[in-house]
Amino acid sequence: MMDPTFPDADRIRIVLVGTQHPGNIGSAARAMKTMGLHRLVLVAPERFPHREADALAAGALDVLEAAERHDTLASAVADCGLVVGCTARARRIALDESGPREAAAKVLAEAARGIDAAVVFGRERTGLENDELQLCHAAVTIAANPGYSSLNLAASVQVLAYELRQAMLAREGAAGDRTGAQTPDDLPASHAEMEGFFGQLADTLDAIDFHKGRTPEAAMHKLRRVFLRASPDAREVRLLRGVLADAQRMARLAGERGSGSQS
Ligand code: SAH
């Protein structure tokens, strides 16, 4: 069954070129389905269909059975607006190169705009030919042991499929945040609200004698980073400011008592 959560997956195809071992086709289908991908395209597989493919696909037989077949990579990606080719070795060919995470983000951005995108994998023995890489907009390399950097074909599919799923989840989370934020209180605090909070934080640190003669800038710099990273909403900033207000009040009381005992 398809993963209904990610409609963008319809626009993402995994293309295996000239696969030699049918078991790898099955394992690739399984790798895809576990990550919510379902469009498998086979370019001139050496042996397919094959019982080893079925056996290794396990619960992903549906992905295998729905696989499209093409004779050439050009025809497999003809209607794609973005094609990225996975290669273990940097080739002498002028292509942008990136890692799986960056590539997955680009693929998903295209899919989300309604544009079909392909991630292409080569043959077990020889990978993708240079003229096949020429059809790609960018190359993807999984950073691996330089002394042995060639992953199993289906393992590479798993790495890319995983990153595609993370990208889909991130996009879904961002969309959820947008639609779920019904009131201004739920929105991340504005720049002005954060600055108001930082001003009060600086005053409070002075009032409780936090700096003890050190310059306040270094501490404030770090504290700003912590709170900006947390991206609190307006309600949370009010809560934090309430805590500061109480600390300021206690510091004032302590100060009054202190000066009272001296007099
Ligand atoms: N000897 C071949 C290895 C092919 S492995 C070569 O050097 O190219 C089969 C396919 O898995 C490759 O064509 C590529 O698509 C993918 N692959 C394997 N290791 C990879 C890596 N480190 N980075 C990106 N893709 C890789």
Side-chain angles (χ1 to χ4, degrees), residues 6-21:
F6 300 122
D8 295 339
D10 281 344
R11 302 221 167 270
I12 301 172
R13 71 190 73 170
I14 299 293
V15 182
L16 307 184
V17 180
T19 311
Q20 287 146 336
H21 299 294

Side-chain angles (χ1 to χ4, degrees), residues 198 220-230:
F198 288 132
M220 271 313 291
H221 195 78
K222 286 184 190 137
L223 288 165
R224 285 180 73 94
R225 267 224 306 265
V226 171
F227 285 106
L228 288 172
R229 190 168 63 227

Side-chain angles (χ1 to χ4, degrees), residues 86-89 91 120-128 140-144 149-153 156:
C86 294
T87 171
R89 292 174 285 159
R91 311 283 173 123
V120 182
F121 296 85
R123 300 157 187 82
E124 291 91 333
R125 261 193 302 277
T126 53
L128 289 169
V140 187
T141 299
I142 301 162
S149 64
S150 178
L151 279 73
N152 163 265
L153 169 60
S156 321

Side-chain angles (χ1 to χ4, degrees), residues 242-255:
V243 173
L244 295 181
D246 274 357
Q248 286 174 308
R249 189 170 51 80
M250 297 306 282
R252 219 170 20 246
L253 283 175

